């Protein structure tokens, strides 16, 4: 049976979340600014997934506080892929995000991107693609079984002053697409 895009299952991975699958009909998606998403897979078994983290490291309080940090997000995605049948020696990753969102604030995106690259290098996991740093946000779609990734820049058409802002924010518009294999 051939699956059309309308029949494929789209799963959104939000901040502090991750998802692992070996289903060829699943496409994972997320929207990133300064956050980073790791797309991870074993090309032989087809097991793969995506995470989405906000900050590289930190201490949090509460049951799920650690989920927003890269150190936790990376470990849990790797471990869940292994539990689902992936082989550690075959894992390959694509990294997305880490954009610089505001000029006047600390560059959190740079810290996130640097952390993700360092973490994977220390773990011996090969980075085979992706798009880190730069300016602005991006929308990422990832098919874990094939490793195919599609990135679209997300920009605001106009950034109004506080006095010009409407009661409802303007919609986010896709500014273009870049497909990564």
């Amino acid at each position: 049976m051939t699956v059309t895009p309308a029949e494929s299952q789209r799963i959104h991975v939000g901040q502090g979340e991750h998802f692992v699958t070996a289903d060829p009909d699943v496409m994972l998606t997320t929207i990133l600014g300064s956050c980073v998403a790791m797309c991870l897979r074993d090309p032989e078994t087809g097991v793969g997934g995506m995470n989405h983290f906000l900050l590289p490291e930190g201490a949090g309080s509460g049951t799920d506080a650690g989920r927003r940090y890269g150190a936790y997000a990376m470990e849990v995605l790797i471990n869940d892929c292994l539990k689902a049948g992936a082989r550690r020696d075959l894992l390959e990753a694509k990294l997305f995000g880490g954009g610089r969102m505001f000029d006047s604030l600390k560059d959190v995106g740079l810290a996130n991107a640097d952390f993700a690259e360092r973490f994977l290098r220390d773990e011996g996991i090969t980075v085979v693609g992706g798009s880190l740093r730069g300016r602005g946000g991006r929308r990422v779609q990832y098919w874990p079984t094939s490793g195919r990734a599609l990135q679209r820049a997300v920009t605001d058409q106009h950034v109004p002053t506080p006095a010009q802002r409407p009661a409802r924010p303007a919609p986010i518009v896709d500014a273009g697409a870049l497909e990564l294999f």
Side-chain angles (χ1 to χ4, degrees):
M1 175 175 134
T2 303
V3 177
T4 65
E7 295 171 344
S8 65
Q9 184 179 9
R10 177 185 297 232
I11 297 173
H12 182 77
V13 179
Q15 294 176 346
E17 296 177 347
H18 76 285
F19 191 87
V20 172
T21 186
D23 185 341
D25 297 333
V26 170
M27 183 261 294
L28 305 176
T29 183
T30 196
I31 299 173
L32 303 163
S34 59
C35 296
V36 165
M38 174 174 67
C39 299
L40 186 70
R41 79 180 191 117
D42 172 342
E44 284 192 16
T45 63
V47 172
M50 174 190 283
N51 67 18
H52 180 153
F53 68 87
L54 286 74
L55 298 167
E57 299 176 277
S61 59
T63 308
D64 289 331
R67 298 182 68 80
R68 63 183 166 178
Y69 297 111
Y72 175 84
M74 302 295 257
E75 288 288 344
V76 76
L77 180 58
I78 292 167
N79 290 335
D80 283 359
C81 283
L82 296 176
K83 288 177 192 172
R87 288 188 32 202
R88 185 175 184 82
D89 61 315
L90 297 176
L91 290 176
E92 59 184 35
K94 292 182 179 181
L95 295 170
F96 296 91
R100 183 168 182 99
M101 301 305 293
F102 305 101
D103 288 329
S104 61
L105 301 175
K106 179 183 172 190
D107 193 349
V108 175
L110 176 65
N112 282 337
D114 290 349
F115 166 81
E117 289 175 326
R118 185 173 53 253
F119 183 95
L120 291 174
R121 184 176 54 249
D122 291 349
E123 292 294 317
I125 295 173
T126 303
V127 177
V128 295
S131 172
L132 288 173
R133 300 178 187 84
R135 299 188 83 58
R138 58 199 94 194
R139 180 176 315 225
V140 176
Q141 296 174 323
Y142 181 63
W143 292 262
T145 59
S146 70
R148 180 175 172 236
L150 176 67
Q151 171 186 279
R152 290 190 172 112
V154 177
T155 61
D156 291 329
Q157 289 183 334
H158 169 69
V159 180
T161 65
Q164 297 171 322
R165 288 188 185 128
R168 298 183 123 178
I172 296 175
V173 178
D174 284 339
L178 172 67
E179 189 163 345
L180 304 164
F181 290 93

